[in-house]
Amino acid sequence: MRLKDAEIAELKQSVQRLLEQFRLAQQKRFGMSSERHDYQGELFNEAEVTIDEPAGLITHDDVSALPKDCCGYQLVLMGQDSSEKLQFIPAQIKVIEHIRLKYSCNQCETQGTQANIKQAPVP
């Protein structure tokens, strides 16, 4: 009888060990990962993205800052080109827009001479 009791105790221990291994495997497979970070939920939170204002824009009030052509007349804004660049910063993505204003001389256009178009180079 003692031999049976010892064998039963050994089998109970083996079952407990197997159950514990099963629970650990389940936890590892379906449990929370240790690689999770608190800030990952905000990685693509576009509602809080702020747009930086371009620093070099010329307003209509600041006419004296307009460039002049070779004929001495002020150039007139005729349009603009813009380019965008995506920049990846870990946990942050922002769009950087470069606006390049184009200027031409109305005096040269009305006199029929060659219209010089001035524009800043692409960054």
Side-chain angles (χ1 to χ4, degrees), residues 53-67 74-77 80 99 101 103:
E53 292 295 324
L57 287 182
I58 298 174
T59 61
H60 293 289
D61 300 332
D62 194 15
V63 178
S64 63
L66 292 176
Q74 286 186 342
L75 298 178
V76 181
L77 180 65
Q80 70 182 24
I99 297 176
L101 301 176
Y103 291 95

Side-chain angles (χ1 to χ4, degrees), residues 48-92:
E48 297 179 6
V49 173
T50 59
I51 298 174
D52 297 331
E53 292 295 324
L57 287 182
I58 298 174
T59 61
H60 293 289
D61 300 332
D62 194 15
V63 178
S64 63
L66 292 176
K68 296 187 184 266
D69 196 12
C70 58
C71 63
Y73 288 93
Q74 286 186 342
L75 298 178
V76 181
L77 180 65
M78 62 175 267
Q80 70 182 24
D81 289 333
S82 65
S83 62
E84 294 180 347
K85 175 176 81 170
L86 291 180
Q87 181 179 12
F88 176 74
I89 300 172
Q92 194 178 54

